Amino acid sequence: MDASTGSEPKFKTKTSAGAEPALMELFLDSLRDIYWAENHLVKVLPKMIQSASSPKLSSTIEQHLEQTVEHVSRLVVIFDLLGVDAIAKKCDAMEGLSKEGEGIIESTDEGTATRDVGIILASQKVEHYEIATYGGLVQLASTLNLTDVAEILAKTLEEEKLADQLLTEVAENDVNYKASEEA
């Protein structure tokens, strides 16, 4: 009885001379995925900023937008270091997370702390995805002996963790309490 599914693995170990090992292929695929995600965020974050009513939340997201632009630039540097084109691969996860954020904005009343809480929740889901991705990429870069690349990715990882922490502080010190008092 044949137990195969009939589908080929996406990343096969290649044996031809000069071929990329499967792990490097997976690493590049993941870089292309986060490259799309970061570029997508550059387009999506301005709507979150505009939709937030808390000045502290708006400034926190604005700060992260500036960092996100820098993250895109760093990824281009990484692609250059690796000698490959900076090609984005659609990130279904980020597309879904951003659609969820848009849904929160559409389903909450403008100018409310409740909307701000929703924006924070959606933003933290994005941050957690980025933290997981960059954490994995740092480990893969280290495994592949790409020390310079690992250092660049680690810097971005720390900024993503800080962005998540800042969102938590805005929630705990400002908008959650205000939202709990809304009718």
Side-chain angles (χ1 to χ4, degrees), residues 3 12 38 42 50 69-70 85 97 120 123 129 133 149 153 158 160 162 164 166 170 172 176 180-181 183:
K12 296 188 289 186
E38 295 284 23
V42 169
Q50 183 181 15
V69 170
E70 178 63 27
D85 291 334
L97 290 170
I120 290 170
S123 297
Y129 175 79
T133 300
V149 171
L153 292 167
E158 290 310 310
E160 298 294 2
L162 179 59
D164 180 54
L166 292 172
V170 172
E172 290 176 346
N176 284 359
S180 72
E181 295 186 330

Side-chain angles (χ1 to χ4, degrees), residues 119-130:
I119 289 170
I120 290 170
L121 286 170
S123 297
Q124 286 190 297
K125 288 179 183 183
V126 167
E127 292 309 322
H128 292 190
Y129 175 79
E130 291 177 308

Side-chain angles (χ1 to χ4, degrees), residues 2 20 29-30 50-51 75 82 117 134 161 163 168:
D2 184 11
E20 294 290 333
D29 187 70
S30 297
Q50 183 181 15
S51 299
L75 288 166
L82 297 173
V117 169
Y134 282 110
K161 288 178 180 178
T168 296

Side-chain angles (χ1 to χ4, degrees), residues 10-11 22-36 79 87-90 137:
K10 186 169 183 180
F11 302 105
L23 188 59
M24 184 61 162
E25 189 177 334
L26 177 63
F27 178 71
L28 290 171
D29 187 70
S30 297
L31 279 175
R32 291 178 176 122
D33 185 80
I34 197 68
Y35 182 58
W36 187 95
F79 285 118
I87 299 170
K89 175 190 161 218
K90 185 177 178 186
L137 287 170

